[in-house]
Amino acid sequence: MNHNDRLTRLRYALDIKDSDMIEIFRLGGMQVTREDILAMLKKIDEENYEQELTDEGLERFLNGMIISQRGVKKDAPEPVFELRQGNANNIMLKKLKIALKLTSDDMIDVLDDVGVTVTKSEMSAFFRKEGHKNYKTYGDNYTRNFLKGLIGWYR
């Protein structure tokens, strides 16, 4: 699963319009046009998109989602970009939790709605800092199922 897949599935799950996506990217500090959005969402073949979304681009979108839903935090430091392919699902999960004001119980319920059982301790392991002894990578399959579960909550 690449960043474009994550963006496409997230957009569908939350029913985000093109104009809203442009605004979310802008709030995250990235200027995009409607054509850029469409190119990020348009597949060339099974694995490639017309315009590849970078690590920083996805993280800016997720930061923009937080700002659009929660507002600008006063005296907030400049964001540190920590997202990369290996931890993208964990970072996305953390930022969605913040943006959508979800509790861990809500997230467990979202997954339960699509038939995936996760315990509270497993869920907390996904939110740990990389390198922590109890850190657990949030796999692509969990991400797909979580976004599928969000469809039931937001569409």
Side-chain angles (χ1 to χ4, degrees):
M1 180 180 238
N2 65 29
H3 298 329
N4 295 71
D5 292 329
R6 291 178 184 94
L7 183 67
T8 302
R9 291 169 189 263
L10 182 59
R11 176 193 177 167
Y12 180 76
L14 300 178
D15 197 20
I16 305 172
K17 297 177 183 76
D18 292 344
S19 58
D20 294 336
M21 288 191 72
I22 293 167
E23 179 62 13
I24 290 169
F25 271 112
R26 187 193 66 74
L27 290 170
M30 185 174 171
Q31 296 299 320
V32 296
T33 64
R34 184 171 189 278
E35 290 73 29
D36 292 332
I37 298 290
L38 296 176
M40 287 179 210
L41 302 173
K42 185 177 181 183
K43 280 190 169 189
I44 296 173
D45 57 38
E46 203 55 37
E47 293 182 20
N48 298 307
Y49 286 79
E50 203 170 279
Q51 181 178 327
E52 291 297 321
L53 185 59
T54 63
D55 295 343
E56 185 178 330
L58 180 60
E59 191 158 8
R60 285 188 181 278
F61 180 80
L62 295 170
N63 289 342
M65 274 195 67
I66 292 170
I67 293 169
S68 74
Q69 298 300 309
R70 309 277 306 242
V72 178
K73 189 175 179 183
K74 286 186 178 183
D75 302 325
E78 197 60 34
V80 176
F81 298 105
E82 57 187 344
L83 188 141
R84 56 182 170 58
Q85 193 63 37
N87 69 358
N89 293 329
N90 292 66
I91 300 293
M92 186 169 108
L93 186 71
K94 285 179 195 177
K95 293 189 184 243
L96 286 176
K97 181 180 181 184
I98 295 166
L100 302 176
K101 301 174 187 164
L102 298 172
T103 64
S104 291
D105 288 333
D106 291 338
M107 298 178 95
I108 291 169
D109 290 343
V110 168
L111 286 166
D112 194 46
D113 288 349
V114 291
V116 177
T117 305
V118 178
T119 64
K120 274 192 172 190
S121 60
E122 283 179 304
M123 187 59 72
S124 71
F126 298 135
F127 296 117
R128 301 237 183 248
K129 192 171 189 105
E130 244 181 314
H132 187 280
K133 68 177 186 167
N134 293 328
Y135 173 82
K136 186 175 177 185
T137 303
Y138 196 70
D140 288 343
N141 200 30
Y142 278 122
T143 301
R144 283 185 200 96
N145 283 308
F146 181 73
L147 293 173
K148 191 186 302 182
L150 284 180
I151 292 170
W153 283 47
Y154 288 94
R155 285 185 74 92

